[in-house]
Each structure stands twice: as structure tokens, then as C-alpha cells.
Amino acid sequence: MRIHVFNVVMIVAFVLGANSPILLAQKQDLKYGSQYQGKREDAAMQKFRSNRFGQFIHWGLYAIPGGEWKGKVYPGAAEWLQSSAKISSSSWNALVDKFNPSKYNPDEWAIMAKKMGVKYATITTKHHDGFCLWNSEYTDFDIEATKYNGDLIKEFVEAYKRQGIDVYFYYSILDWHHPDWRNDIKTDEDSIAFERYFQFAKNQLLELQAKFPEVKGFWFDGTWDESWKKNGKYSYEIEMALKAVNPDIIVNSRLRADDYGSRHFDSNGDLMGDYQSGFERFLPKNTDSTIVKMDWESCMTIPVNQWGYHKDWSLSHVKFADEIIEMLVKSVSLNGNFLLNFGPDGNGAIREEEVAIANEIGKWMTLNSDAIYNGVFANLEKQDWGYYIKNTKTNTLYGVLFNKPISNLIKVKLPKNVKLKGCVLSYDGQKSLQIIPHEKHYLVKLPKIMFKHPVVLEFKLE
Ligand code: JFZ
């Protein structure tokens, strides 16, 4: 382990204690650290934040084998098949000739997404295998090389735009196809090659932005290797270059590494990029008091760990719509966004199970989305029955109930100067519920019926 001057300063500061003046001067100058302090408050960022619910799409050559190679089914993530089945690049590249998604109908996808209730969608433009779903002038390993007659990303962007859904691009820095990609930099030759790779990636990103000026932001991935961590300047330059073209552009923290290879957060502890994107298939703890101070997004698979299309979903638990709704609600209750993944098959069809889940979530959202869009952390003590969410547009306090107590009584604890005047079941014709004042809190009496799905309560405060 390397010990930097900064770490020594931190250790000294720690030993001296919190009142030490050295703590005031503890922040060191970083060339490639965080670009600003605190949250971004411009309109573009506020829009991203108010969206709350997004659709992730993993689509690429891996959708064709769908987790199966030469008769063997690999249970790992389908989009990693080239690596897990140790497939030669020539065999993998041959999939280009098979990619011709005759069922691809982006308007259908977008209508489904809209019905599900998402306000933004993030699609893989290039995953780790390096295949580009748009027509790129910097590589031949792209949609143009396939039999598919069209620019897939362009059609996607236009269809989602027609539904009023914001579009974001996923882009993998890690690239198994590009000859100049390096996992680590050990020689001068590696540095020179990796510099070329960096220029290639930057060119592609600027190309995407030029071709699709409506793109709201980029979701970077594949940034965990030593080569990227040793080149914080590259991650910084990419963020700067994208924002020079469009200052509104939103970049996830996963892009970034600083001068010392610190990822997501720089060596001063400040978030890099515009929001924290480290929550991959998990959510922060309800008791996490730091998370509510920043913008963040969690991304989630429907099976345990499949992003790209996998033929056999019986290999792991497939989440129920209500489980997913709870994750969405929990994210919003802690000031986060929730990005739910879909993996279309090799023909461009969305599998039945995903369509069914999207419809179920959509039904719930139609009734309850006031508690989702513009929802924020309500700063109240969490109770076992569910989650509080405050709508910043209407200044309404909601409770989303997931666990109904046997007593049918739920506890609501408010700050001293706030009174609970009423509580209505928003789905049930605004039915008013009885409120029982208690010593330091209130009890609200729920109807005896069993709820089939999560229920939203609206608390009237005074
Ligand atoms: C990455 C990809 O490898 C994967 O295929 C998918 O695209 C997903 C969204 O992102 O996987 C990750 C990335 C980060 C972590 C774990 C898996 N992580 O931070 O723990």
C-alpha cells in the first residue's frame, strides 16, 4: 500500500482530534478531484432528480447466445458470456453476422416504459465486448456491420423522445475488443496504447453527443481496472469534454478516479461526477445519514444478476413486482433514483416476464406516482410499516405502507411543533382514517382488510 502525504495529514488530524485547526486545512489540492462542492442545482439536475424512476436497457451481441455457448448454459451474467465461456474474439465477432433484430420496435418499448411510469431510460451504447449499437465512424465493430438496416440507437432515442422519456447512454470504458485497451499500465508501450484508447473513447463519446444532442447524460461503467485508476486525468478530461459541449450533461460517479486512483469519491471525500452510482444491485441502509445529503441512483436487475438477455431465468430468484416497488420507494425515501433493468432478446423482443412486471408496476404507478415523482427524504424517523416520502412540488407527506401490523395501528412520529390533522388512504376514494393521539406520537387506524399491494397514505399536517 502506498502512503500519500494526504493520508499522513489525515492520520495526524485524526490523532489531534476534531477541534484541531489542522482539520480546517485538511483538504488537499487535487488536479482530478471533484469539480464542485455539494449538489448541482441547475434545471437539468433538478429534472434528473425529480424523475426518480428510470429504465435500464442492456442490449448487444450477448443477447443472441443468451447465456448459452456450444450447448452449455452459463449461469453467470449473460452479458459477460464472452469472458465466462472464454470465447475467442473471432467467434464472438462472428455474432455480428447474426445480429438482425427483426422484432425491434422501439416505439413499443417506449410505450411499455411510459406505462410502467419511468421518466428516463439508459441504454447500453457499448458494453464490455466493445460492440457499438450506433453507427460509429471510429470502429467497424458496430451496428453498421450487421444485417440490420438502420441506426438502432437513433431509433431508440426518437421513440423514447416521442413518449417524453429522457434518454441517457451507458458506455463501457472497459473494452475487450479494442487492441489498445489495457487492464494495467506496466510499460511505456502500455501507456502509449492506453493513451490511444483514451482518445478513441473520447472521440466516440463526443460523436454520440454530436449525433444525439438530446442525450441528457452518460452512465459510465467498466472503470475498475488499474489502467483507469492510474489515469484519473482521463476520467476528468472526459467529464470536462462532455460538459464543454453541453453544461447540462449528467455524469455518474462511476466514471471517475482522482489523482490517487480514488473512485467515486476523491481523496478529500468529495463526490466526483454528478451523482453516486455505486449502488449496483443493492440499496443503502435506511439508517444511512450521509446518503440523503447527495444525489444517487441505484440500478437493479429483475433476476439476481442478469443484465443482458439470459435464456434461463429459472436459475435464480426473479423478483416480484411488489419487491421492486419497495426498492423504488425506498430509494426515493432516501433521496435516490431507481433504475430498473430490462434485457431484450436477440430479436429485439422484451421477454414476457419483463412485460408482465412492467405492467404490474405501471398499474401501481398510475395510482400512486404522486409519492414517487418529485419525492424526497421526509426527515422523519423511519417506522417498520414502510417509508415516508415528501413531494416537493405539492409539499405533501406520504407514507408508503408495506408491512401492515396485526393491530392495524401504525405509528407516526412527527417533530414537536407539527400536528397530524388527518390521514387518508389515497387509493380508496381518499378514505379518512382514525387518528389516535399518543404521548409522543400518533397512531393511525388502518382498515381491517388485507391489502394486496403497497398502499399510499397521505398525511395532513398542521
Ligand atoms: C457492471 C457490468 O460489468 C455489468 O455487466 C452491468 O453492465 C452492470 C450494470 O455494471 O457490473 C458491475 C459494476 C460495478 C459493480 C459490480 C458489477 N460494483 O461496483 O460492485
Side-chain angles (χ1 to χ4, degrees):
M1 194 186 111
R2 281 175 298 173
I3 295 186
H4 300 290
V5 176
F6 169 70
N7 293 339
V8 175
V9 171
M10 285 300 280
I11 291 162
V12 172
F14 182 77
V15 171
L16 291 176
N19 294 326
S20 156
I22 204 167
L23 268 187
L24 299 173
Q26 80 185 28
K27 292 217 169 180
Q28 63 171 344
D29 277 338
L30 294 169
K31 273 200 263 173
Y32 312 120
S34 164
Q35 292 184 14
Y36 57 88
Q37 303 280 301
K39 289 188 185 182
R40 242 176 82 173
E41 287 301 348
D42 54 281
M45 196 64 198
Q46 286 181 19
K47 173 67 170 63
F48 171 74
R49 192 181 293 144
S50 72
N51 287 340
R52 286 307 187 219
F53 186 23
Q55 179 187 41
F56 213 169
I57 291 192
H58 274 71
W59 200 29
L61 297 179
Y62 43 79
I64 301 170
E68 182 182 339
W69 199 255
K70 298 206 161 126
K72 188 174 166 202
V73 174
Y74 291 78
E79 74 283 1
W80 275 79
L81 186 70
Q82 185 186 358
S83 160
S84 45
K86 301 194 170 59
I87 300 166
S88 70
S89 43
S90 59
S91 305
W92 193 259
N93 296 352
L95 289 172
V96 165
D97 299 326
K98 288 197 186 161
F99 194 78
N100 190 8
S102 56
K103 291 193 185 144
Y104 177 47
N105 184 341
D107 281 305
E108 241 173 53
W109 291 14
I111 289 165
M112 182 192 100
K114 168 106 181 182
K115 269 175 65 188
M116 178 167 73
V118 297
K119 297 279 189 190
Y120 67 110
T122 306
I123 184 165
T124 48
T125 56
K126 179 187 94 162
H127 203 263
H128 308 336
D129 70 355
F131 179 72
C132 298
L133 289 183
W134 82 100
N135 183 356
S136 173
E137 63 176 275
Y138 299 100
T139 180
D140 293 331
F141 195 47
D142 67 353
I143 191 67
E144 204 189 5
T146 69
K147 296 199 177 73
Y148 182 74
N149 193 11
D151 195 330
L152 215 147
I153 291 290
K154 185 163 184 276
E155 293 151 15
F156 180 90
V157 171
E158 283 164 5
Y160 275 66
K161 210 160 84 179
R162 277 192 282 277
Q163 297 304 321
I165 299 173
D166 292 342
V167 173
Y168 286 74
F169 288 157
Y170 167 109
Y171 183 91
S172 172
I173 295 287
L174 166 63
D175 191 318
W176 298 326
H177 183 264
H178 200 287
D180 291 326
W181 164 262
R182 294 288 182 280
N183 291 77
D184 201 352
I185 310 293
K186 291 197 169 129
T187 63
D188 288 347
E189 194 281 322
D190 287 339
S191 298
I192 294 163
F194 202 60
E195 161 76 31
R196 279 196 303 265
Y197 177 76
F198 163 68
Q199 291 302 340
F200 161 78
K202 190 171 153 188
N203 285 336
Q204 283 208 316
L205 291 159
L206 294 174
E207 177 186 42
L208 278 170
Q209 233 183 346
K211 276 189 92 157
F212 307 107
E214 54 275 87
V215 67
K216 303 289 182 206
F218 288 85
W219 204 105
F220 288 97
D221 194 16
T223 51
W224 45 76
D225 284 305
E226 287 306 309
S227 52
W228 195 248
K229 291 198 282 178
K230 285 178 183 171
N231 279 290
K233 62 171 192 266
Y234 289 164
S235 76
Y236 181 85
E237 253 185 78
I238 285 185
E239 185 177 347
M240 295 297 274
L242 296 174
K243 288 180 175 175
V245 175
N246 175 6
D248 287 344
I249 220 77
I250 293 172
V251 167
N252 64 338
S253 63
R254 198 178 287 193
L255 168 67
R256 299 280 276 106
D258 79 351
D259 312 41
Y260 300 113
S262 177
R263 296 180 63 224
H264 296 277
F265 292 88
D266 67 19
S267 301
N268 288 325
D270 293 320
L271 182 69
M272 295 181 285
D274 300 312
Y275 64 93
Q276 217 273 56
S277 64
F279 296 98
E280 213 246 44
R281 298 188 294 117
F282 74 102
L283 299 181
K285 290 203 169 74
N286 288 315
T287 49
D288 190 332
S289 58
T290 56
I291 199 67
V292 295
K293 297 191 181 117
M294 61 185 95
D295 286 306
W296 60 275
E297 178 197 61
S298 63
C299 56
M300 193 56 66
T301 49
I302 295 176
V304 172
N305 183 19
Q306 293 295 344
W307 299 92
Y309 174 79
H310 195 289
K311 287 182 175 155
D312 191 356
W313 266 18
S314 72
L315 296 169
S316 77
H317 170 63
V318 176
K319 294 177 187 72
F320 294 99
D322 287 336
E323 276 181 277
I324 296 167
I325 292 169
E326 180 158 4
M327 292 172 171
L328 165 65
V329 167
K330 177 175 168 175
S331 300
V332 177
S333 81
L334 294 171
N335 280 341
N337 282 15
F338 184 75
L339 189 63
L340 181 65
N341 185 70
F342 290 74
D345 70 19
N347 292 321
I350 296 187
R351 69 197 307 147
E352 274 172 30
E353 301 97 315
E354 287 180 347
V355 174
I357 285 172
N359 287 339
E360 271 193 74
I361 296 174
K363 271 191 215 151
W364 189 86
M365 285 292 284
T366 308
L367 295 170
N368 301 302
S369 64
D370 285 349
I372 301 296
Y373 310 133
N374 298 297
V376 296
F377 174 60
N379 201 13
L380 295 172
E381 187 185 299
K382 188 188 176 308
Q383 303 295 333
D384 293 337
W385 48 259
Y387 306 85
Y388 291 110
I389 288 172
K390 196 173 102 181
N391 182 314
T392 49
K393 269 265 161 66
T394 58
N395 209 22
T396 309
L397 177 66
Y398 294 105
V400 191
L401 179 95
F402 286 86
N403 311 307
K404 189 168 182 259
I406 295 287
S407 66
N408 293 321
L409 295 170
I410 62 164
K411 181 173 160 182
V412 177
K413 201 172 166 196
L414 299 169
K416 264 194 193 128
N417 51 348
V418 183
K419 288 200 179 89
L420 183 62
K421 280 287 153 193
C423 177
V424 298
L425 261 181
S426 56
Y427 89 102
D428 188 12
Q430 300 289 309
K431 185 185 166 90
S432 272
L433 302 179
Q434 189 194 346
I435 294 169
I436 306 166
H438 204 279
E439 198 175 6
K440 284 182 180 149
H441 59 266
Y442 296 89
L443 295 172
V444 173
K445 192 158 188 206
L446 299 171
K448 286 205 175 80
I449 50 157
M450 277 291 285
F451 297 130
K452 292 203 179 92
H453 298 290
V455 158
V456 174
L457 304 162
E458 185 186 324
F459 298 114
K460 313 261 185 201
L461 307 180
E462 195 183 277

